[in-house]
Amino acid sequence: MKVLTTKEKEINFIHEAFAHYYRENSSKIVPPKDFEKREFGFSLFREGLMIRHIGFSEKNELKRFLMKNVPKDAYYSSAYYKDPREEMDKKGWLGADLIFDIDADHIPTPCKKEHDFWSCRDCGLTQTGEAPTKCPNCEGERIVANSWPCEVCLESAKREVLKLIEILMDDFGFSTQELKIYYSGHRGYHVHIESEQITLLSSEERKEIVDYLQATGIDLRYHGLSGVRSLSMKGPDLSDSGWRGRIARSLYDFMLKKNLEEELLKLGLRKRAVSSIIEKREKILDRWKGKGPWGLIGGVGLRTWSRIVEGAIKSQAVNVDSVVTTDTHRLIRMGGTLHSKTGFIKKQIPIHNLEEFNPFNDAVVFDEEEIKVYIPKAPKFILKNQVFGPFKDCKAELPKAAAILLICKGMARLEQA
């Protein structure tokens, strides 16, 4: 009889937990719209394979597949095809949904240096913070990064989603019925748009949408900022639509910063201009009741205001992964399925519930059965309103959901068969 390694035991443990979930919940998993025209792909446990070019003609086929094969991760194509089972050049592309991926990995948060870590496969060095391209100890390039889905990071991602929804509805005219919001199951959110209006958009056209969301290439002259002399300047108003109003609101919020002087100096402004702005900050804010502060301060002209606005505008731009949105053949995680890096589900969220959504409660599916694990190191976290950790070089008995999270993240080892 073969003796299983610790790693094999862990794979079996996670596999059985996922299998139980799919046995109990496959009938509740809602396939994507027009699923018979989609390509499906699955990452499998024991085989360590990614299988693609799979199609289903009936919902029950998909459900039986999930129960029988128990995937680590399950995906479907954003694209619609004549025959999704064929190779890429023979599928017959019919169009694609518009999908936005907002990931905490792309949002700078100070907590990452505390809970994210990396290790070198060549020399074994492990350190916290952002992963380097080369190991500083042995100069090896086999670096493995491990990111943690903390509350601060995911709240930052949620703020980006809220900005995205506002622009998609206010500027592009999409309705709440056309927008589907999902927690990804790991460190971010997905926004899906299923609408005939966007199905046939090319990659280049989708890139234009991304550029608009990210405020790429905005020329402030076309958004109301003008005037040769400082006291005759004009600019956008808070109530303006589109990026005009967004520019005004970003500047207003910028002027409220506690460390405004420091932020202005970071933008490369002259100390004299910074002093004038700080001195008249209250008047600047008060002038927004009318048509804004443009032309208020002598010596602070178009160039200075433009630089301030360009710095402030970053707070209104949306941090989306352009690669996901522009890829018209993209495989995206299927709603209701489990994420192999956490054991959480990709969960759909009604727009009106997004503010209150808590992935550490609402995306957790496993029960309270106690599991013994050894934890070399793990940060403090809250799951189902219970506080765990921080842990270092210790054994612990944890609820199944917490144990699965740590094992999936490579932060714990199973202590029982």
Side-chain angles (χ1 to χ4, degrees):
M1 181 178 178
K2 179 184 176 182
V3 177
L4 298 179
T5 65
T6 300
K7 188 64 177 177
E8 288 171 331
K9 289 179 182 178
E10 288 170 1
I11 291 173
N12 287 346
F13 169 68
I14 301 296
H15 179 272
E16 180 51 41
F18 278 36
H20 182 266
Y21 171 80
Y22 286 117
R23 283 196 301 269
E24 297 296 318
N25 296 281
S26 63
S27 61
K28 302 174 188 176
I29 296 173
V30 180
K33 173 188 172 185
D34 294 332
F35 70 93
E36 68 278 359
K37 296 177 182 177
R38 311 274 195 170
E39 175 194 355
F40 287 81
F42 302 92
S43 174
L44 303 181
F45 273 96
R46 294 188 177 91
E47 295 85 346
L49 298 174
M50 176 71 180
I51 56 173
R52 292 190 55 174
H53 311 300
I54 296 174
F56 299 101
S57 55
E58 296 181 0
K59 292 180 181 179
N60 285 336
E61 276 187 86
L62 171 58
K63 293 170 183 178
R64 286 194 295 268
F65 185 97
L66 292 172
M67 287 190 289
K68 179 181 178 181
N69 294 279
V70 190
K72 283 175 64 179
D73 299 285
Y75 308 92
Y76 71 93
S77 64
S78 63
Y80 304 90
Y81 299 108
K82 289 181 181 178
D83 192 344
R85 296 174 177 84
E86 288 286 352
E87 294 298 315
M88 290 305 300
D89 59 346
K90 298 179 182 178
K91 288 183 186 295
W93 188 83
L94 300 172
D97 297 331
L98 187 60
I99 294 179
F100 302 94
D101 178 19
I102 291 176
D103 197 313
D105 287 346
H106 305 143
I107 303 171
T109 49
C111 53
K112 286 179 181 175
K113 62 184 179 183
E114 299 173 7
H115 57 61
D116 286 3
F117 68 93
W118 58 270
S119 57
C120 174
R121 284 183 173 174
D122 292 324
C123 70
L125 178 66
T126 299
Q127 291 187 353
T128 56
E130 185 178 353
T133 54
K134 287 186 177 182
C135 175
N137 183 50
C138 69
E139 296 190 349
E141 297 182 1
R142 297 200 303 157
I143 304 295
V144 180
N146 199 326
S147 56
W148 180 256
C150 89
E151 295 89 343
V152 174
C153 291
L154 280 169
E155 191 60 30
S156 297
K158 187 191 289 185
R159 299 271 77 78
E160 297 296 311
V161 176
L162 291 167
K163 288 192 291 183
L164 172 62
I165 292 171
E166 178 188 330
I167 296 178
L168 291 175
M169 294 179 67
D170 292 351
D171 296 14
F172 288 88
F174 291 112
S175 67
T176 54
Q177 290 74 32
E178 292 172 309
L179 300 179
K180 291 186 177 180
I181 318 299
Y182 294 89
Y183 165 59
S184 71
H186 189 212
R187 281 169 56 87
Y189 292 85
H190 298 160
V191 177
H192 298 221
I193 299 179
E194 298 173 352
S195 169
E196 292 182 3
Q197 293 175 304
I198 52 82
T199 301
L200 296 178
L201 290 178
S202 66
S203 293
E204 292 75 18
E205 290 167 326
R206 292 165 195 255
K207 181 62 166 61
E208 290 290 331
I209 294 175
V210 171
D211 287 346
Y212 185 90
L213 294 169
Q214 296 179 336
T216 302
I218 278 189
D219 189 328
L220 298 177
R221 293 173 299 173
Y222 299 117
H223 292 274
L225 198 61
S226 64
V228 177
R229 296 181 179 178
S230 59
L231 295 179
S232 61
M233 270 192 61
K234 295 180 180 179
D237 185 58
L238 292 172
S239 60
D240 287 345
S241 60
W243 268 107
R244 283 196 174 208
R246 211 162 280 116
I247 286 168
R249 292 191 293 274
S250 69
L251 180 59
Y252 182 85
D253 291 341
F254 189 81
M255 287 295 162
L256 291 172
K257 285 178 175 282
K258 292 181 180 179
N259 61 336
L260 178 60
E261 183 174 0
E262 179 185 340
E263 292 292 330
L264 290 170
L265 289 171
K266 282 182 184 178
L267 296 175
L269 270 61
R270 294 179 178 178
K271 290 186 178 181
R272 184 176 178 180
V274 172
S275 297
S276 297
I277 292 169
I278 296 298
E279 181 183 339
K280 294 190 176 182
R281 173 154 64 168
E282 293 304 319
K283 286 186 179 181
I284 291 172
L285 293 170
D286 189 62
R287 282 282 289 270
W288 284 113
K289 295 174 184 176
K291 283 292 181 179
W294 323 108
L296 175 64
I297 307 173
V300 178
L302 182 62
R303 180 180 295 181
T304 301
W305 280 118
S306 295
R307 191 172 291 180
I308 296 171
V309 168
E310 287 167 0
I313 212 170
K314 293 178 182 178
S315 65
Q316 296 291 326
V318 185
N319 200 329
V320 297
D321 187 335
S322 62
V323 174
V324 173
T325 302
T326 57
D327 187 349
T328 57
H329 301 274
R330 189 77 180 186
L331 289 182
I332 195 79
R333 189 174 302 277
M334 185 162 57
T337 64
L338 296 169
H339 199 301
S340 66
K341 291 183 179 179
T342 58
F344 296 167
I345 62 168
K346 177 173 178 176
K347 187 171 180 71
Q348 186 172 358
I349 313 161
I351 291 180
H352 62 274
N353 286 344
L354 180 57
E355 286 273 19
E356 293 75 32
F357 177 77
N358 180 354
F360 302 99
N361 283 335
D362 304 326
V364 178
V365 297
F366 293 111
D367 56 36
E368 297 299 309
E369 176 191 355
E370 293 286 316
I371 304 295
K372 295 179 181 179
V373 292
Y374 167 70
I375 310 168
K377 186 178 181 180
K380 177 182 176 181
F381 63 99
I382 301 173
L383 210 61
K384 284 290 185 180
N385 298 317
Q386 281 186 268
V387 179
F388 302 97
F391 300 101
K392 187 172 183 180
D393 191 24
C394 65
K395 294 182 180 180
E397 288 192 30
L398 302 177
K400 196 171 189 177
I404 286 175
L405 171 61
L406 291 180
I407 292 172
C408 286
K409 295 303 295 179
M411 293 183 174
R413 298 199 291 267
L414 192 65
E415 281 288 299
Q416 63 183 35

